[in-house]
Amino acid sequence: MNAKPAVVAPAGTGPMPTSPTRAAGPQVRLGLRENRLQFSLLVVVNIAVGGLVGLERTTVPLIGTETFGLTGNLALFSFIVAFGLTKALTNLAAGALTARFRRKRLLLTGWLIGAPVPFVLAWAPSWGWIVAANVLLGLNQGLTWSMTVNMKIDLVGPARRGLATGLNEAAGYTAVGVTALVTGYLATGYGLRPVPELVGIVFVVAGLALTLVVRDTAAHVALELGRHTEPLPTGEDTAWAAVFARTSWRNRSLRGASQAGLVNNLNDGLTWGVFPLLFTDHGLGLAAVGLIKGLYPVLWGIGQIPAGHLADRLGRKPLVVTGMLVQSGGLLLALALPDSPLLAGILSATALGLGTALVYPALIASVSDHAHPAWRANALGTYRFWRDIGYAAGALIAGVLADALGLDATVIAAAVLTAASGLLAARWITDHAKPGPHAPGPQGPRPTAETGVPA
């Protein structure tokens, strides 16, 4: 009689019990309904995660110009560069970290690192302190956002990963948008500092408290891994350097996803810095700018619930290509109605939000589809590295072009780059057969995506 092959934990699953049922009891099951309480708690945690970064969307560029007197756009956007680089590098390290530490411990660490951020934003004596706060914020977001989506995907199993990712991103980015809107209105009544930034204290306290309540998901990862039947291809190198090269360039589909993720977040980083300046230059007040800056991530967030479901049903590539082209049009809409800047801003934010909603869960799912579980966590860490380098790239491009050519030319350049990225995604990304909940396997449903997808 053939012996059952030993189960080897892939990178990124963390320390796991040798027997999921014996270590955590027979109640360990995969599925959204079966784990609805823990899943719901993690949704609320990610609302707090998104809210913390949402503090900066409306006010910080204006704090740079009005409070600290910055005149160069490159210097002004340095806080986004600091955030993007730190978050990207944290994403790259996430696979190695989750191989050594449990998800819950990393989630708690992220919250402790981010705790000073609201206070620094509220009372920083110089711009350098704002930049330093964004280093902490990048570390916070890289750990907390990654772990919340990791844990949700651990809980639901392979059949609903697109939906789980969509729900996670919906919670986080809706919170980003609502917080941007709230801080805009607070800044109108109370000034740019400190009242708008102190909203962040609520997010930090809530995130820390709920993290202490949530249970770790190592047993769920072990349960799913025990069911996985797909062998590792002979000779496939799972070392970190090999996975980085494969995800960045050597695999066409992974290359297509990585470049699309980078350009997607380049748009976000660029509009993060440019839009408050662009629309205040066109005569809009802080409340109107807050509405524009809030609408974009709210639609981005809410739209990911149906987009995640569609990614599971229709495939990843159609959503990625369509979403990038819609974003390109959305950037041009910001300049389309110079005599009606509020309407232009609302139309632009709507298109950007809906386009990004289509792209975000589909890209994560696409990377998961094309990576074996033995190296999938590092593949996703590499993808997320390139995706969040987009924040820094967007801020750098915005700073250089805005100083040289003006804000309008910067937005047009981003639109052209985004359309080109969509066309590259159409050329490079290949969809597998449609994933679904009933894919057969000898020991249960066969996973089609990562046991721990960082978002």
Side-chain angles (χ1 to χ4, degrees):
M1 184 172 68
N2 293 332
K4 183 179 178 178
V7 174
V8 180
T13 57
M16 297 193 310
T18 55
S19 170
T21 54
R22 188 164 60 241
Q27 75 277 10
V28 176
R29 300 172 63 193
L30 303 180
L32 181 56
R33 180 177 298 176
E34 292 82 353
N35 297 284
R36 57 187 177 275
L37 177 59
Q38 291 298 309
F39 192 96
S40 298
L41 287 174
L42 287 165
V43 168
V44 179
V45 171
N46 212 47
I47 289 173
V49 174
L52 192 61
V53 74
L55 289 177
E56 298 200 328
R57 292 292 172 129
T58 301
T59 59
V60 171
L62 300 174
I63 289 171
T65 57
E66 297 184 18
T67 303
F68 295 113
L70 298 179
T71 55
N73 288 299
L74 191 57
L76 177 60
F77 299 155
S78 59
F79 79 98
I80 306 173
V81 175
F83 170 81
L85 286 175
T86 307
K87 187 169 186 282
L89 291 170
T90 305
N91 292 339
L92 198 59
L97 290 171
T98 52
R100 297 187 60 188
F101 303 102
R102 294 288 179 94
R103 313 255 203 256
K104 180 173 177 176
R105 182 179 295 182
L106 293 171
L107 180 59
L108 181 61
T109 301
W111 277 116
L112 293 174
I113 291 171
V117 170
F119 301 96
V120 177
L121 295 178
W123 289 295
S126 68
W127 185 247
W129 282 78
I130 300 287
V131 174
N134 274 270
V135 172
L136 296 181
L137 185 62
L139 290 167
N140 162 268
Q141 295 290 302
L143 289 174
T144 56
W145 207 306
S146 296
M147 293 310 114
T148 56
V149 75
N150 263 314
M151 294 169 80
K152 287 186 184 70
I153 289 172
D154 295 343
L155 292 172
V156 303
R160 292 290 178 264
R161 286 217 171 91
L163 178 60
T165 303
L167 288 169
N168 186 79
E169 303 300 283
Y173 282 102
T174 300
V176 172
V178 171
T179 307
L181 179 61
V182 168
T183 54
Y185 278 100
L186 289 174
T188 300
Y190 299 97
L192 291 171
R193 297 198 302 171
V195 173
E197 291 73 27
L198 294 181
V199 175
I201 297 173
V202 176
F203 298 129
V204 171
V205 171
L208 280 169
L210 289 172
T211 297
L212 295 173
V213 174
V214 168
R215 293 198 298 267
D216 195 75
T217 57
H220 295 80
V221 181
L223 176 61
E224 182 180 349
L225 186 62
R227 296 175 174 179
H228 195 82
T229 60
E230 182 181 349
L232 182 68
T234 303
E236 187 166 77
D237 192 349
T238 61
W240 179 89
V243 174
F244 183 88
R246 190 179 304 137
T247 308
S248 301
W249 183 256
R250 289 181 180 171
N251 181 290
R252 280 172 61 94
S253 288
L254 294 176
R255 178 203 317 162
S258 293
Q259 65 83 25
L262 188 153
V263 175
N264 180 87
N265 277 19
L266 180 148
N267 288 339
D268 191 27
L270 184 142
T271 59
W272 186 348
V274 168
F275 273 22
L277 305 179
L278 178 70
F279 288 109
T280 52
D281 283 352
H282 289 172
L284 297 185
L286 284 171
V289 172
L291 174 62
I292 294 167
K293 290 298 297 174
L295 184 60
Y296 170 18
V298 164
L299 292 173
W300 174 353
I302 294 173
Q304 286 186 81
I305 299 175
H309 180 72
L310 286 173
D312 287 338
R313 294 289 180 180
L314 303 179
R316 325 308 191 187
K317 180 174 176 175
L319 273 70
V320 173
V321 175
T322 301
M324 297 303 289
L325 296 177
V326 170
Q327 287 182 62
S328 177
L331 287 163
L332 295 177
L333 284 171
L335 309 175
L337 300 169
D339 295 329
S340 303
L342 180 58
L343 178 58
I346 290 172
L347 292 174
S348 175
T350 300
L352 284 168
L354 294 177
T356 308
L358 291 174
V359 166
Y360 234 65
L363 282 175
I364 293 173
S366 180
V367 175
S368 298
D369 292 343
H370 289 87
H372 188 277
W375 51 272
R376 198 167 278 155
N378 282 331
L380 282 152
T382 300
Y383 159 72
R384 295 179 67 250
F385 167 79
W386 289 118
R387 189 192 70 185
D388 288 342
I389 278 288
Y391 284 119
L396 286 170
I397 290 172
V400 171
L401 290 182
D403 283 340
L405 302 173
L407 296 173
D408 287 7
T410 302
V411 174
I412 292 170
V416 172
L417 184 59
T418 304
S421 176
L423 295 177
L424 283 176
R427 180 175 176 82
W428 286 341
I429 294 176
T430 301
D431 269 340
H432 288 331
K434 288 183 192 176
H438 305 300
Q443 300 176 37
R446 180 173 175 175
T448 58
E450 158 65 320
T451 57
V453 178

